[in-house]
Amino acid sequence: MIWNYLKSAARSFKTNKGFSLLNIFGLAIGITCAALIFLWVEDEVNWDKFNLKKDNLFFVRVNEKYDSYTATTGSTPALLAPQMLADIPGVANTCRIYDMDATLFAIGNKTIYAGGIYADPALFSMFALPFVQGNAHTAFSQPFSLVITEKTAKKFFGNARNVVGKTIRVDNKQDYIVSGVLKDIPTNSTLQFEYVAPFKIVFDEDLNSKRWGSNWLSTYVELKPKANLSAVNKQLLGFIRQHAPQSVSRPFLWNMSQWHLYDEFENGKATGGGQIQYVHLFSIIAWIILLIACINFMNLSTARSEKRAREVGVRKVLGAGKQSLVFQFIGEALLMALLAAVVAVVLLAITLPAFNNLVQKQLSLGFTQPSHLAVLLLIATICGLVAGSYPSFYLSSFSPVSVLKGAKLKDGNASFIRKSLVVLQFTVSIVLIISTIIIYQQIQHVKNRVLGFDKNNLIETDAQGDASKYYNPLKQDLLQSGVVSNVALSNHPTLYGGTNTGNLTWQGKSAGSKVLVSFRKISPEYISTSGIKLLEGRDFVPTDSLKSKNVNVIITRTMEKLMGNESAVGKAIWSSGDTSGTKMTVIGVTNDYVYGNMYGTPDPVLFLATPLNRLNKMYLRIKHNTNMEQALAKVETIIRKNNPAYPFNYKFVDDQFNQLFISETLISKLSRVFASLAIIISCLGLFGLAAYTAERRTKEIGVRKVLGASVGSIAGLLSFDFLKLVGLSCLLSFPIAWWAMHQWLQAYQYRIEISFWIFLIAGTAACLIAIATISFQAVKAALANPVESLRSE
C-alpha cells in the first residue's frame, strides 16, 4: 500500500510539475527561514549554559535610590567581595573583575593590542575555565602573571606549542610572565576576554579602591549548593551601608541564567524583559512564516482539486475508504515537505554565512548533532501535517457518483477558505512591512536627534604612556598640521556613562535629597573640542587644572535647574561625605548633551579640569572638508613622533555612536529580511492561485473576448478579485500593526509618533506587489486565442 501511495505521489508530482515546484520551493523558503531563526534562538537561550556551576553563580547588582527613580547598576566596591566571603555563611566563593580597554602588548619587536580583565584567582574555578597549558593553582603564583586564551596565544606567539614562561611587556611599563593558556571561551558567554591578570595589581595601584564608597568593578559570587538565596539577599541588602553610611547602594544577587536574557530593570525591579523579548518575537515570526508557506500548499492543493476528482472517484468505486485517501494525501504532503526540507538544507548552506554576518555570530548547521536533525525533521513533519490536513479531508470527501458523471464540483466552502488564507497571508506580510518601516524610523529618529555635541569629524584615541610629558608639544604639532582644529583630553569616552556620584550637595538642596550626577575629568580644551556650547560664564583655562582645594567646575543646564531657578554661575558645590574641605565653584554652564542611553533624557553632568596625568582619552577635531585618509596619515606621523613607544589606535566617535544601536539595527535588518521572505512566499501562492483562476475561467474569458472585451478589461477583471482580498488584508493589518508597534515604542522615552502615511505606503506596496504577481497570469489569459478555449463548444 505504501508503495502505491509513493507511486501515486510521484505521478501527481509529474502531472503538476509547476504547482509541485511552487509548493516545494515555498515550503523550502519557509523551512530555511525558520531554521535560521531557530539557530539564532538556540544560541541565545544557551548563553552561559556551558558553565557547570551556572545554577550557583551570581552577579552582584546594585539598586541605588535617588529622588525620582531607582537605578540598577552592576558596579560595586572592591572591598565587598572579600567581606561577603568572610561574613555571609552561604557564600562559597567570590571574584572581582575589572575590565580593561585594549592594552598594548610587546612581544619582541611585535606590538599588539588585546582586551582583557584583571580578576581574582577564584575566576578559574567559579567559571570552570579549562586550562590547556598551566593550571589554576599556579596561574597567579607570581605578582605579574598573565593567563591568555588559545586564540590570544596564536595572536601573540603564532604556532608556538608551549608559551608558558614567555615574557610579554605590557603597556611599555612592566614585564608579565605567561603562566597559563585557557581553552577559547564560547562566543555565547557573558564573560569575554583575551587575557586575565591578577586583580591585586590594580587593587594596589589605586588608593580609591580601598574605599567602600567607590564603585568601580564587577563582583561575582558562588553560593554553596544548599544556600538560601532569599536569606543571602536579605543579609546583603544593607551590607554596603554598614561600612559606608552615606551610600545609597542596595546590593542583591542575580543568577547566571538571567544575565543575558533578562537584563532589563525599571525603577529597581526586574521587568522580565531584555533579550528574551527578541527571542520570543523571532520564534513567533519563524512559525508565522512556516504557516504562510503551509497556507500556499493548502490553497494550491484545494485549487487543483478538479484535476484529482476523477482519481478520488475511481479509488472510492474500487473500494478505497475515506481514511485511506486521507492517509494518501497526507502522505503526499509529508513527502513534499521532506523534499522541501532537503532543498532547505541546500539553501541553509548557501545563506548561513550571510546570516552570520548579519547577526554577528558564528552559527553552524551542526547536522552531526542529532538534535538539529530531529528539529529539521520535526519542522518538516509539522509542515506536512498542517499543510496536508485540510486538502486531504477536502479531496477525500468528493462523491464518486458526482465526479464520475462529470458534474462541476461545488467550490463554495473551499473557495471561501482559500480566500481567507490569502487574506491571512497578506495581513501578516503587511504587518511586517509596517513594523519594518516604523523600526527604521525610530532608529533614524534617535540617530538624528540633537545630541548637544558634534560627533562628526571627531576622533578618539588612547592617551598612552605619560600624557603629562608629551601632550603639550603633541597638541602644538597637531594644531600646526593644518588638519586638526582642536585637541583635548578626558578620563572617559564622551558617549558613555562614566563616573558618577550621589553625594554632591549645594546651598538650598533639600535634606536627604539624592541626585545622581555624572562627572567628567577633562583638559581645559574639552568643551570647545567636543562642540558642546557654553551658555553662561566662562570656559576652563589652563590654571583651572592646577587647583587642588577650591576648584572651578562647569555644569550642564539640567544640573543648573536642580540648583535653583537663577543662574548657577558663582554657586558652590561640595561633597556631603568629603571631610577635606574641598569646595567646587561653578564658573560656567553648558547645554545638555546625550550620553549612555541615547533614548533617554540628558542627565546632569559636572566637568572638572584635572591634571593631564589622570586623563587617558584624547579627542581630535578634524577640520571640515579635509581628506580624512590624508588627515589620519598626518596625525599618525605626529603622534608616533611625540610618543614613539605606542602605535596610533583610533576610533571615530560617529562610529561609536552607531554601535550604540547595534541591537535595534539588527532587529531592523532582520525584520526587513523576514518581511521580504513572507511577501515572497505569499506571492508564490498568489501566483499559483492566479494561474489556477485563469485556467478555471478559460471559457469565460474566451466568451468575453468574442463579445468584444479588451485585453485590459479582462486582465483587470481577473486582478480585481485578488485586489479585494489584499484590500481586506490592509483593513485587518492596520490596527494590528499599530497596536504592536505602539507597544514596542513605549520602551523608549525618545520616540516617534506613528504616522498614518506609513499605513498608506504599506497598503500601496502590498497592492502593487499583488498586481505585479497576478498581472503575468492575467495578461497571459487575456491574450489567449478564444478559438482555442471555445473549440469544444
Side-chain angles (χ1 to χ4, degrees), residues 708-722:
S710 66
V711 171
S713 65
I714 292 173
L717 176 70
L718 293 174
S719 301
F720 184 67
D721 287 342
F722 289 104

Side-chain angles (χ1 to χ4, degrees), residues 35-36 39 345 348-350 352 363-369 372-373:
L36 290 172
L39 284 173
V345 170
L348 280 168
I350 295 170
L352 187 60
L363 305 174
S364 62
L365 294 179
F367 284 131
T368 55
Q369 300 177 38
H372 282 197
L373 284 173

Side-chain angles (χ1 to χ4, degrees), residues 662-674:
I662 191 163
S663 293
E664 290 81 359
T665 303
L666 171 62
I667 301 308
S668 179
K669 288 179 179 178
L670 288 177
S671 64
R672 288 202 294 271
V673 170
F674 298 147

Side-chain angles (χ1 to χ4, degrees), residues 323-338:
Q323 187 178 23
S324 65
L325 290 171
V326 168
F327 285 150
Q328 177 193 336
F329 293 131
I330 286 183
E332 288 181 13
L334 285 170
L335 181 60
M336 193 170 288
L338 289 173

Side-chain angles (χ1 to χ4, degrees), residues 524-537:
E525 313 87 0
Y526 180 83
I527 301 290
S528 56
T529 301
S530 61
I532 296 173
K533 298 285 191 299
L534 192 69
L535 304 178
E536 299 176 46

Side-chain angles (χ1 to χ4, degrees), residues 298-333:
M298 293 181 196
N299 278 344
L300 294 176
S301 297
T302 56
R304 303 292 291 178
S305 57
E306 286 189 5
K307 295 286 186 180
R308 305 199 66 178
R310 290 184 181 277
E311 176 192 342
V312 171
V314 171
R315 285 182 178 274
K316 282 194 171 184
V317 167
L318 294 175
K322 183 174 181 178
Q323 187 178 23
S324 65
L325 290 171
V326 168
F327 285 150
Q328 177 193 336
F329 293 131
I330 286 183
E332 288 181 13

